[in-house]
Amino acid sequence: MARYVAIWLVLLVLTGLTFGLAFVPTGPWSMPLALLIASAKSLLVAVFFMHLIEQGATNRIVAVVGVLFLALLSGLMILDVAGRPLSQ
Amino acid sequence: MPGSRLAEHFGDLQTQHHSARLGMWIFLSSEILLFGGLFALFGSYYVRYTAEFREAAHHNTIFWGSANTFVLITSSLTVALAVWALRHDEPQRAKRLVLATILLGVVFLAIKGIEYRIHAHEGLLPGHHFDSQKLHGHGAILFYTLYWFMTSVHALHLTVGIGVMSWLVLGIHRRRVDAEHPIALEVGGMYWHLVDIIWIFLWPLLYLVR
């Protein structure tokens, strides 16, 4: 039980960090930094709150494959759009 | 009545619970891809209209959006504690924690409603309805169109989650869901956590990249 409260506190600290960074001029790094912290928070939620830590490899593979597909599909789409010439 | 809980095509309850969890992970993966389309669209327009997107996010209701992040993360804690309590055979405590989760979900929706009202007042509406005094340009319209789309799809998911949690309160009350058979609360909780994770990403994208 104390473990869940500890995870919640870590999540709040990371939330505060994300909020604080919004007021620091980080330029082109603001988006990657925010996404990195969001990913860390999501990992904590999935591993502890969603009990991935106590479940078998099958469930872990399904979860990882879902995230991998998302990264692949949206990542390639965004790269394609970013790489196009700017003429309208 | 363990006999009635065990579906006949499973050898034992443990196997049944395992496949329920696996089924939920597969469903949640498909949910990730549903939101993935919206995230891909957001990312694509962000790289095209970076300055206008940042300007638009700067005008968003950062106080309410951030308050809602706190509300939803705390609701994830109450779900996790409810599962813990039920596993340790404390159904009354579990019931109270699920009720707290429902309450936090309702608070989230109420705050979302306040935000929508502010946006409507400022003309920050999707598509052709966009009519802002402060923000101009195609990027701002795209940002707020995606904002309304993403947050309303998310709010719809949360509403379903509130329904699931209400059904679980009844289940715990009638002892259909208990320490021996907590699986419904576990997989219902997994769904709730995913809705939280989606918000963990929506919050920086829509409010903080400025």
Side-chain angles (χ1 to χ4, degrees):
Chain A
M1 187 179 168
R3 176 159 87 172
Y4 294 126
V5 177
I7 296 295
W8 174 68
L9 287 173
V10 174
L11 287 172
L12 288 189
V13 168
L14 289 173
T15 301
L17 184 65
T18 317
F19 188 79
L21 278 173
F23 298 95
V24 179
T26 41
W29 287 99
S30 65
M31 180 66 101
L33 272 174
L35 289 180
L36 190 74
I37 299 174
S39 304
K41 284 163 75 181
S42 304
L43 192 69
L44 286 173
V45 172
V47 170
F48 295 103
F49 284 177
M50 295 167 94
H51 307 110
L52 212 49
I53 193 167
E54 59 188 61
Q55 293 172 18
T58 327
N59 295 18
R60 289 178 201 182
I61 290 169
V62 173
V64 169
V65 166
V67 175
L68 223 58
F69 261 87
L70 174 69
L72 204 65
L73 295 173
S74 56
L76 289 179
M77 177 174 161
I78 294 164
L79 276 179
D80 172 47
V81 175
R84 285 184 205 171
L86 268 169
S87 63
Q88 296 293 320
Chain B
M1 296 173 291
S4 61
R5 285 167 166 182
L6 183 65
E8 57 180 320
H9 51 284
F10 287 109
D12 53 51
L13 267 182
Q14 209 189 343
T15 319
Q16 187 175 334
H17 291 172
H18 173 70
S19 70
R21 282 187 209 103
L22 179 61
M24 197 62 191
W25 276 111
I26 292 171
F27 170 69
L28 294 185
S29 289
S30 75
E31 284 281 273
I32 288 177
L33 292 180
L34 165 76
F35 278 96
L38 292 167
F39 280 118
L41 213 53
F42 187 94
S44 301
Y45 284 132
Y46 178 80
V47 295
R48 280 273 109 144
Y49 301 95
T50 309
E52 288 179 29
F53 262 50
R54 286 180 174 223
E55 173 79 8
H58 196 83
H59 278 84
N60 212 341
T61 38
I62 187 167
F63 170 76
W64 291 115
S66 307
N68 255 349
T69 303
F70 175 75
V71 168
L72 219 50
I73 284 178
T74 307
S75 78
S76 259
L77 173 71
T78 54
V79 173
L81 290 179
V83 172
W84 184 89
L86 196 64
R87 281 176 176 180
H88 289 77
D89 207 10
E90 294 184 47
Q92 291 308 320
R93 198 177 189 181
K95 205 159 64 180
R96 279 198 300 273
L97 284 161
V98 178
L99 281 170
T101 308
I102 294 170
L103 185 72
L104 288 167
V106 171
V107 168
F108 180 95
L109 290 179
I111 291 178
K112 202 74 230 153
I114 294 172
E115 292 186 78
Y116 281 163
R117 239 190 93 149
I118 296 171
H119 299 322
H121 187 71
E122 292 178 347
L124 302 174
L125 293 165
H128 291 300
H129 303 285
F130 189 87
D131 180 29
S132 170
Q133 305 292 321
K134 295 179 212 149
L135 290 171
H136 304 283
H138 197 49
I141 300 174
L142 285 171
F143 179 90
Y144 276 98
T145 305
L146 276 169
Y147 167 85
W148 280 88
F149 228 110
M150 293 169 105
T151 53
S152 58
V153 172
H154 177 266
L156 194 68
H157 275 77
L158 195 74
T159 309
V160 171
I162 290 172
V164 169
M165 286 298 153
S166 308
W167 176 77
L168 283 165
V169 169
L170 206 67
I172 298 169
H173 184 71
R174 293 188 178 160
R175 301 198 160 274
R176 268 188 283 120
V177 185
D178 60 18
E180 185 209 47
H181 195 56
I183 189 67
L185 182 61
E186 278 185 38
V187 294
M190 283 166 68
Y191 174 80
W192 189 277
H193 293 308
L194 184 88
V195 176
D196 181 26
I197 287 179
I198 301 288
W199 184 259
I200 285 177
F201 281 95
L202 286 181
W203 176 56
L205 290 185
L206 299 175
Y207 295 88
L208 300 181
V209 178
R210 37 204 276 156

